[in-house]
Amino acid sequence: MSENFESVAAIFGKNVFNDVVMRERLPKNVYKEFKKTISEGRFLDVALADTVANAMKDWAIEKGATHFCHWFQPMTGLTAEKHDSFISPTAEGTTIMEFSGKELTQGEPDASSFPSGGLRATFEARGYTAWDCTSPAFIKETGRNITLYIPCAFCSYNAEALDKKTPLLRSMDALNKQATRVLRTLGNNTSQSVGATLGPEQEYFLIDKRFFEKRLDLMLTGRTLFGAATPRGQEMSDHYFGALHERVASFMHDVNVELWKLGVSAKTQHNEVAPAQYELAPVFSTVNVATDHNQLVMETLQKVALRNNLVCLLYEKPFSGVNGSGKHNNWSMVTDDGINLLEPGSTPHDNMVFLVMLCAVLRAVDKYSKLLRASVATAGNDHRLGAHEAPPAIVSVFLGNQLTDIIEQLGEGGAKESKANGHLKLGVSVLPPLPKDCTDRNRTSPFAFTGNKFEFRMVGSAQSTSGPMFVLNTIVADVLGEIAEELEKSTNVKTAAQKILAKISKEHRRVIFNGDNYTEEWAKEAVKRGLLNIKSTVESLKTIMDEENVKLFVNHNVLSKAELKARTEILLDSYSMSINIEARTALNIAQRQILPAAIEYSGKVAKTIESISNAGTDPSAQKKSLVRTCELISELQNSIDELKKAATVASGIDNTVKRAENFRDYVIGAMKEVRKAVDGLEMTVDAKMWPLPTYAEMLFIK
Ligand code: ADP
Ligand code: MG
């Protein structure tokens, strides 16, 4: 039977060394000890690791694996892997398959070619990978290659984090510690730990592969640097949630099967707002596993697309004029015994745990808004944030009427009631009255409460969720720490908690905004409230090293000052590099494809004019067209020269901040001028001679 007909239950997690497999294959005492090690967050001892490794190897070999690899997430935001085979030669000239505990738990890849932001001198090449046993190992089939993947953290010879996973794990520890402290003071003596949960909604575009291959800009930069607007865009709102096209539906099916095998619970899929835009959302899991899984989601989307002669574009803004893509991060805190700390219940006003957690998040978001903003600052995301299609760069929180009312009551001497939610009456007798949710959906808010979780909507589609999530975990941990401090020393916890909530309500109410975040009025109102509107990536990244941020990360053991500095350098550098690649690609296309096509076309028109004149007819209409084309050609030539100059100056600057500023202030503008000329020519030159697939072709041909 083909795999398509295997039941989902049979497929799901079949390539994961998960709990069921472990229970089956590990000796009972080893299994128990291993689980205990994970839940207590301890190191794995060597003997235990040997047994686990052996069981893992046998399982992997039965599935056809010949290799294992330490799979990690360097600061590129992508994943990295180095494969080793299980083969071990014997003295008799044969071979046996071996995999030791040491090989499982630790690797030593050469780190010298990964970005380190100056943390590691090039001669100190050694880096270490360490097994993160909280994220299960899995088997990946790539073509005929079958390999055991071991999720790992990655650090330097001096144990400094060089990856995205380490700070995330550290931030989970911090949140666990502080949230548990708060729970204890509020009388919860049963929950042993608190974890952060994440459900990331992944948006992406799909286009036909034959168009992609003709667009150097998409291939090298992830976005179109040129392209006149399509006569039809998204104005009819007919794509969102529209019926899936057959080819796309088949693609989604293949993606689901691949992801289910890897234990990724891909659940929701639909058309998004822009033509050719789609979304996939998994069921949420712990933030660490969800982050690993999101990397697998992005990889699988791209891999399966190719198999279907499609290309998946993950970039934040592949096409101008239609919506870009984000990655909404749904986040909450949950105890080991299953209590969602952001669950309001039916009477939120007297749910003290919920109110404390809610207020902690409010204060954290307001107090550290610059850091949250910086966690989503990338060159790609600059096209989205504040462009009236995604949240603005102003960080605010949507709470909805009921909770906003409660927060106000808290500031005025205590919350006494929760506004009723009521029912929606549809006016059709056969339809039941629908219970109304206590919060509406506010699609324009950067940070929205959505029933029992927050949705951080500023995250870009191509980003790793690690950065935004370790920032969020850490800032909330910090505020929970402050609250625990107060509550632990108080004699009357209830009064003390009410005092804290009243103070937070008064100080941080300004960050609540339930209206339309896309409007000019809000931008003005935000200024009055003292909220920041940091529009560019460079401006935002410059705030990371502020003293309060350094203190925050150091205090909670999430990042040392040197690690934070290194990360900032890497982010700034990667901003400059991506704009530089865009500039060079734009120049390449403009000079080698557009100019020649436009010149050839103008020559053809000139010849036509000559023949028309020779025939004794008036060629003035053709002349008009030629003049316009020639004007555009000269604009293009001038703008190419300007862009060359600007890019050369910017790339020659040594200082990382100044270089990034220069790219932002001069190179981006110069690229826009080239685009203006090219897009003008697209509307003038004969379509048959135009070298690039157009927006209409890419967005509408399925
Ligand atoms: P939307 O209506 O916002 O598009 P989706 O159904 O597409 O919602 O996605 C919502 C995401 O939120 C899913 O990934 C879901 O699993 C996740 N989610 C639900 N509850 C929680 C929670 N407690 N913590 C984290 N994520 C959650
Ligand atoms: Mg959704």
Side-chain angles (χ1 to χ4, degrees), residues 171-193:
S171 77
M172 290 166 71
D173 278 350
L175 185 69
N176 175 26
K177 189 165 148 201
Q178 305 306 340
T180 315
R181 266 176 87 190
V182 169
L183 286 184
R184 288 287 177 274
T185 61
L186 294 176
N188 174 331
N189 291 312
T190 39
S191 303
Q192 295 309 309
S193 61

Side-chain angles (χ1 to χ4, degrees), residues 197-199 201 268 279 281-284 330-332 340 441 443 452-453 455:
T197 52
L198 166 66
E201 301 166 45
T268 314
E279 182 188 293
V283 177
F284 70 94
N330 295 271
W331 172 94
S332 188
N340 179 353
R441 290 161 173 264
R443 283 276 161 209
N452 58 6
K453 61 185 172 2
E455 188 170 341

Side-chain angles (χ1 to χ4, degrees), residues 407-604:
I407 295 289
E408 274 162 15
Q409 291 181 51
L410 288 172
E412 267 98 62
K416 308 214 164 43
E417 55 168 8
S418 303
K419 277 187 179 170
N421 300 329
H423 284 82
L424 299 173
K425 293 204 184 71
L426 297 176
V428 180
S429 57
V430 294
L431 298 178
L434 300 174
K436 204 170 152 178
D437 286 303
C438 71
T439 56
D440 188 12
R441 290 161 173 264
N442 182 321
R443 283 276 161 209
T444 67
S445 173
F447 201 91
F449 187 75
T450 50
N452 58 6
K453 61 185 172 2
F454 277 99
E455 188 170 341
F456 185 24
R457 301 223 183 87
M458 297 169 93
V459 185
S461 51
Q463 267 192 277
S464 158
T465 53
S466 158
M469 288 297 101
F470 86 66
V471 166
L472 184 56
N473 289 342
T474 312
I475 63 178
V476 173
D478 187 61
V479 174
L480 287 172
E482 290 171 3
I483 295 176
E485 199 80 28
E486 288 288 313
L487 294 180
E488 280 164 1
K489 64 181 189 224
S490 76
T491 44
N492 184 332
V493 169
K494 198 164 172 216
T495 327
Q498 267 160 352
K499 222 171 103 192
I500 294 169
L501 298 182
K503 187 156 176 270
I504 292 181
S505 161
K506 286 197 196 115
E507 251 178 66
H508 300 291
R509 213 180 281 178
R510 65 170 191 162
V511 79
I512 303 173
F513 181 63
N514 294 334
D516 184 349
N517 284 255
Y518 294 174
T519 60
E520 274 310 306
E521 292 80 70
W522 168 232
K524 283 189 202 135
E525 163 75 17
V527 174
K528 276 195 218 140
R529 295 194 193 182
L531 302 179
L532 297 168
N533 189 357
I534 305 177
K535 290 198 172 138
S536 80
T537 287
V538 186
E539 225 39 45
S540 172
L541 295 178
K542 272 160 61 180
T543 67
I544 296 182
M545 289 308 287
D546 286 359
E547 206 182 315
E548 72 216 36
N549 298 337
V550 175
K551 240 167 74 188
L552 168 85
F553 287 122
V554 170
N555 280 351
H556 294 282
N557 295 320
V558 172
L559 289 171
S560 68
K561 186 170 180 183
E563 287 172 328
L564 191 63
K565 175 111 201 324
R567 255 151 229 270
T568 313
E569 288 285 305
I570 291 172
L571 293 169
L572 281 162
D573 212 29
S574 122
Y575 175 84
S576 297
M577 283 189 293
S578 28
I579 308 290
N580 196 23
I581 292 171
E582 287 185 358
R584 292 204 304 243
T585 308
L587 286 170
N588 189 308
I589 297 174
Q591 295 177 121
R592 301 188 58 237
Q593 293 185 275
I594 310 296
L595 257 185
I599 290 172
E600 190 186 342
Y601 172 70
S602 59
K604 218 169 126 189

Side-chain angles (χ1 to χ4, degrees), residues 198-330:
L198 166 66
E201 301 166 45
Q202 177 71 50
E203 291 183 338
Y204 59 94
F205 280 83
L206 281 180
I207 63 165
D208 194 291
K209 189 159 158 258
R210 72 201 141 117
F211 299 136
F212 177 83
E213 285 165 348
K214 292 204 182 103
R215 301 269 332 201
L216 196 66
D217 47 1
L218 280 178
M219 290 200 278
L220 301 187
T221 72
R223 76 178 180 105
T224 53
L225 300 169
F226 306 116
T230 76
R232 179 192 182 121
Q234 63 193 42
E235 56 277 75
M236 306 283 283
S237 301
D238 50 359
H239 187 70
Y240 191 55
F241 282 7
L244 293 179
H245 191 277
E246 189 168 308
R247 189 168 172 205
V248 172
S250 300
F251 157 82
M252 286 179 175
H253 168 86
D254 294 353
V255 167
N256 287 337
V257 170
E258 289 290 327
L259 289 176
W260 288 337
K261 282 199 257 176
L262 295 169
V264 180
S265 49
K267 188 170 166 74
T268 314
Q269 59 196 28
H270 58 78
N271 285 1
E272 259 302 328
V273 174
Q277 192 186 26
Y278 307 92
E279 182 188 293
L280 181 153
V283 177
F284 70 94
S285 49
T286 64
V287 64
N288 169 36
V289 172
T291 294
D292 285 358
H293 280 181
N294 182 250
Q295 290 289 354
L296 291 176
V297 165
M298 292 196 282
E299 220 177 277
T300 306
L301 286 169
Q302 289 178 306
K303 188 169 91 178
V304 174
L306 286 178
R307 223 186 271 160
N308 285 271
N309 284 322
L310 294 162
V311 172
C312 169
L313 306 175
L314 293 169
Y315 191 86
E316 281 78 12
K317 187 83 175 176
F319 303 98
S320 69
V322 297
N323 275 12
S325 302
K327 176 146 48 197
H328 296 171
N329 279 208
N330 295 271

Side-chain angles (χ1 to χ4, degrees), residues 61-272:
I61 289 173
E62 280 166 36
K63 299 231 164 232
T66 50
H67 287 67
F68 68 93
C69 81
H70 277 203
W71 182 64
F72 55 102
Q73 297 165 33
M75 291 298 299
T76 54
L78 305 170
T79 59
E81 48 193 70
K82 183 182 165 221
H83 296 221
D84 282 293
S85 80
F86 292 119
I87 283 175
S88 172
T90 63
E92 297 82 51
T94 59
T95 185
I96 49 170
M97 302 294 253
E98 269 187 344
F99 186 44
S100 68
K102 185 163 178 287
E103 284 172 305
L104 165 63
T105 52
Q106 190 184 322
E108 290 169 28
D110 187 326
S112 54
S113 294
F114 292 111
S116 79
L119 267 186
R120 188 190 39 67
T122 315
F123 63 90
E124 298 168 337
R126 210 186 279 282
Y128 290 98
T129 50
W131 181 32
D132 163 21
C133 55
T134 59
S135 181
F138 57 92
I139 279 175
K140 215 165 84 178
E141 301 159 347
T142 313
R144 279 194 297 278
N145 187 303
I146 302 179
T147 298
L148 171 68
Y149 278 65
I150 301 154
C152 284
F154 178 49
C155 68
S156 73
Y157 188 61
N158 302 318
E160 277 153 334
L162 290 176
D163 70 340
K164 299 260 172 188
K165 189 188 265 287
T166 308
L168 183 62
L169 291 173
R170 292 178 186 160
S171 77
M172 290 166 71
D173 278 350
L175 185 69
N176 175 26
K177 189 165 148 201
Q178 305 306 340
T180 315
R181 266 176 87 190
V182 169
L183 286 184
R184 288 287 177 274
T185 61
L186 294 176
N188 174 331
N189 291 312
T190 39
S191 303
Q192 295 309 309
S193 61
V194 175
T197 52
L198 166 66
E201 301 166 45
Q202 177 71 50
E203 291 183 338
Y204 59 94
F205 280 83
L206 281 180
I207 63 165
D208 194 291
K209 189 159 158 258
R210 72 201 141 117
F211 299 136
F212 177 83
E213 285 165 348
K214 292 204 182 103
R215 301 269 332 201
L216 196 66
D217 47 1
L218 280 178
M219 290 200 278
L220 301 187
T221 72
R223 76 178 180 105
T224 53
L225 300 169
F226 306 116
T230 76
R232 179 192 182 121
Q234 63 193 42
E235 56 277 75
M236 306 283 283
S237 301
D238 50 359
H239 187 70
Y240 191 55
F241 282 7
L244 293 179
H245 191 277
E246 189 168 308
R247 189 168 172 205
V248 172
S250 300
F251 157 82
M252 286 179 175
H253 168 86
D254 294 353
V255 167
N256 287 337
V257 170
E258 289 290 327
L259 289 176
W260 288 337
K261 282 199 257 176
L262 295 169
V264 180
S265 49
K267 188 170 166 74
T268 314
Q269 59 196 28
H270 58 78
N271 285 1
E272 259 302 328

